[in-house]
DNA sequence: TAGGCCATCTGGTCCT
DNA sequence: AGGACCAGATGGCCTA
């Protein structure tokens, strides 16, 4: 072992034992200081990260609250939970899109059969910003949260059915 | 008291 | 390197 060799060499050289011990103690203290510093550094980074995470979640919750405010829930209803809010929003958007589609269909029945062509993605939905294709779901309407018969004849009814109740069916 | 919901902390991973 | 995002763990609060 080189260390042993070195120490015995030092002894052989006549270095006093006391000096060696002092050196060892100093090294120990220095290492302890470094570790403490590292620990506080890690700690302060963690605290900062926690702070950011808390902030991030607050922003997420604020967005969720904003979403709750625009959803048509009766004010006396208990506040929707997070998962309920998301499901409700999904169904609400679906119902709105469906309403729009049916309204279009009534106004211009001749134009009705317009299955999305493979190239239709880009050219869709000049009608309304709420049209299905502009909801980020691609060329087709969001998949139905229930059977399509449910709102085939009464869009308003459908809206109520799908959006009036929290926990409306979501796939 | 069990179960649901929520806020917070934490370590890992990815991105800039 | 530091920040954003994510998922798991934990503990508190509330309600049936």
């Amino acid at each position: 072992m080189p260390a042993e060799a070195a120490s015995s060499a030092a002894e052989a050289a006549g270095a006093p034992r006391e000096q060696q011990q002092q050196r060892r103690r100093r090294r120990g203290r220095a290492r302890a200081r470094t570790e403490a510093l590292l620990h506080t550094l890690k700690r302060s980074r963690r605290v900062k990260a926690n702070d950011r995470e808390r902030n991030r979640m607050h922003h997420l919750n604020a967005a969720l609250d904003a979403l709750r405010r625009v959803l048509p829930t009766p004010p006396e209803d208990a506040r929707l939970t997070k998962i309920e809010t998301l499901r409700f929003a999904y169904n609400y958007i679906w119902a709105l899109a469906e309403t729009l589609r049916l309204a279009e269909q009534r106004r211009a029945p001749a134009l009705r059969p317009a299955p999305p062509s493979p190239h239709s993605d880009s050219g869709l939905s000049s009608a309304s910003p709420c049209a299905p294709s502009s909801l980020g779901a691609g060329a087709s309407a969001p998949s139905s949260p229930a059977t399509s018969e449910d709102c085939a004849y009464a869009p308003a009814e459908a809206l109520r059915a799908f959006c009036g109740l929290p926990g409306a069916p979501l796939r």
Side-chain angles (χ1 to χ4, degrees):
Chain A
M1 279 226 174
E4 277 172 8
S7 81
S8 60
E11 273 174 27
R17 215 195 186 107
E18 183 58 28
Q19 265 187 0
Q20 283 188 324
Q21 284 178 348
Q22 274 186 3
R23 242 175 275 149
R24 228 174 281 147
R25 275 198 291 270
R26 267 199 294 269
R27 269 199 294 270
R29 278 198 295 271
R31 189 201 294 199
R33 257 202 309 273
T34 309
E35 277 176 9
L37 218 61
L38 215 61
H39 181 264
T40 51
L41 186 66
K42 273 186 180 174
R43 186 65 218 159
S44 82
R45 275 193 202 140
R46 193 59 258 176
V47 167
K48 269 166 77 178
N50 288 349
D51 202 45
R52 282 195 304 273
E53 178 65 8
R54 219 177 301 127
N55 237 339
R56 196 178 71 84
M57 294 311 290
H58 287 168
H59 281 122
L60 185 62
N61 288 338
L64 222 39
D65 275 336
L67 183 56
R68 280 188 189 102
R69 279 195 295 276
V70 297
L71 291 177
T73 45
E76 69 272 14
D77 268 17
R79 182 174 173 269
L80 296 178
T81 66
K82 292 180 174 182
I83 186 71
E84 282 171 346
T85 304
L86 293 176
R87 288 188 171 138
F88 195 113
Y90 177 95
N91 292 338
Y92 185 46
I93 290 169
W94 180 87
L96 287 176
E98 192 65 3
T99 303
L100 217 57
R101 191 182 65 79
L102 291 171
E104 286 293 320
Q105 199 173 300
R106 275 188 193 168
R107 207 183 320 153
L111 300 176
R112 184 187 157 200
S117 77
H119 307 293
S120 60
D121 276 58
S122 51
L124 277 169
S125 92
S126 53
S128 157
C130 296
S133 55
S134 59
L135 292 174
S140 59
S143 61
S144 162
T147 61
S148 57
E149 294 91 354
D150 289 340
C151 55
Y153 301 107
E157 232 85 347
L159 256 180
R160 274 196 292 277
F162 288 118
C163 305
L165 293 170
L170 175 64
R171 51 181 177 113

